[in-house]
Amino acid sequence: MRVAGRLAADVLDMIEDYVKPGISTGELNRICHEYITKEQDAIPAPLNYRGFPKSVCTSVNHVVCHGIPGDKVLKNGDSINIDITVIKDGFHGDTSRMFFAGKPNIQAARLSEIAFESMWLGIEELAPGKRLGDLGAAVQKHVEKNRFSVVREYCGHGIGLVFHEEPQVLHYGKRDTGMAFREGMTLTVEPMVNAGKAGVRLLPDGWTVVTKDHSLSAQWEHTCLVTSDGFEVLTLGADSRNSS
Ligand code: MF3
Ligand code: CO
Ligand code: CO
């Protein structure tokens, strides 16, 4: 899981410089696909997963998650979540970050920052004996304090030899409820945060999830291991791996 997590993070480190006005989401997908299959000798988990047609998810502006890469060209100020899942030796590493093409708009930057902070507040709840509800409550509190909203229909998940497994990691909830974490569990924390209302809608392509009110949405994701006394984040970028 450490190897798979590091590889997934490496893909995000690699793609960052390509996110600029003028590039298409299909081109970003192609570059990630080549890197994963050729440089990493790994498998892009989304490709053909339940019929998903591409190797990564690209969710632009009001797209909440599962955006399908294609002809869409990024323009100055667009925000984009790139979600990478690689399989290495059977194990899955799953991570996503927000990027901006050109100059971020202030509202989008703020939304991304709060989503990032809420992901970390959730991760910091991971420890044996703490519970799923503690994690959800920590995320929800920070998001709502900042007058944004947490998407309910999609959540984090257990991960390992299987892409999505139990438990479901909700990003809202009540403290002292839900399953307790145990040492050795690996799971993702990946809150989707909307600038407007929490409601989402699935587009007719069967994958793309958008905000019902067309407000902006942001998401960050890490794959984490529950350790004897807390957690280890398996998908840190090279900067964060080297700085501690
Ligand atoms: N990577 C996404 C997650 O965080 C799942 C993408 S499924 C796909 O769980 F089929 F859309 F790729
Ligand atoms: Co995930
Ligand atoms: Co993901």
Side-chain angles (χ1 to χ4, degrees):
M1 287 301 286
R2 289 193 177 99
V3 171
R6 180 170 46 74
L7 291 176
D10 285 346
V11 179
L12 289 175
D13 286 352
M14 178 279 300
I15 202 65
E16 178 165 22
D17 284 345
Y18 292 94
V19 181
K20 290 196 178 115
I23 197 164
S24 70
T25 54
E27 184 67 2
L28 292 169
N29 174 77
R30 190 192 61 74
I31 297 164
C32 290
H33 178 90
E34 296 296 300
Y35 187 79
I36 293 165
T37 56
K38 304 229 162 71
E39 308 275 332
Q40 300 187 323
D41 196 20
I43 300 166
L47 187 59
N48 301 321
Y49 176 79
R50 301 184 181 209
F52 191 79
K54 298 287 176 179
S55 296
V56 308
C57 296
T58 51
S59 302
V60 178
N61 295 337
H62 70 292
V63 178
V64 173
C65 63
H66 304 167
I68 302 173
D71 295 335
K72 187 178 180 62
V73 172
L74 298 181
K75 57 185 192 319
N76 188 45
D78 281 346
S79 62
I80 179 172
N81 173 281
I82 303 180
D83 192 338
I84 304 292
T85 311
V86 304
I87 310 173
K88 185 69 169 180
D89 299 328
F91 292 97
H92 291 69
D94 188 7
T95 183
S96 79
R97 295 180 200 157
M98 296 301 294
F99 301 96
F100 293 94
K103 190 174 146 50
N105 108 1
I106 287 179
Q107 149 95 316
R110 174 91 184 129
L111 181 67
S112 171
E113 182 182 314
I114 297 302
F116 178 80
E117 291 169 358
S118 75
M119 173 193 67
W120 274 107
L121 288 167
I123 290 171
E124 283 160 9
E125 296 291 327
L126 292 170
K130 299 287 282 295
R131 300 168 72 169
L132 282 167
D134 298 325
L135 188 160
V139 173
Q140 182 179 15
K141 183 175 159 200
H142 188 63
V143 169
E144 293 179 354
K145 191 175 72 189
N146 286 282
R147 283 171 270 101
F148 295 138
S149 59
V150 175
V151 171
R152 305 298 203 265
E153 287 85 347
Y154 300 87
C155 57
H157 48 93
I159 183 169
L161 291 167
V162 173
F163 193 168
H164 296 107
E165 60 180 312
E166 288 187 3
Q168 291 194 35
V169 180
L170 302 182
H171 303 106
Y172 60 94
K174 288 194 195 322
R175 286 203 172 267
D176 303 313
T177 66
M179 190 204 68
F181 301 117
R182 293 189 298 277
E183 184 179 0
M185 285 179 168
T186 45
L187 42 85
T188 73
V189 180
E190 51 178 305
M192 282 141 273
V193 178
N194 295 349
K197 295 208 171 75
V200 302
R201 189 166 71 85
L202 182 64
L203 294 190
D205 64 22
W207 282 105
T208 310
V209 179
V210 299
T211 54
K212 225 178 234 170
D213 62 7
H214 254 244
S215 65
L216 291 174
S217 191
Q219 177 180 30
W220 293 78
E221 173 176 26
H222 273 311
T223 296
C224 306
L225 166 70
V226 179
T227 60
S228 63
D229 63 348
F231 62 88
E232 179 180 332
V233 177
L234 305 182
T235 46
L236 293 174
D239 289 355
S240 327
R241 290 201 294 269
N242 300 334
S243 73
S244 63

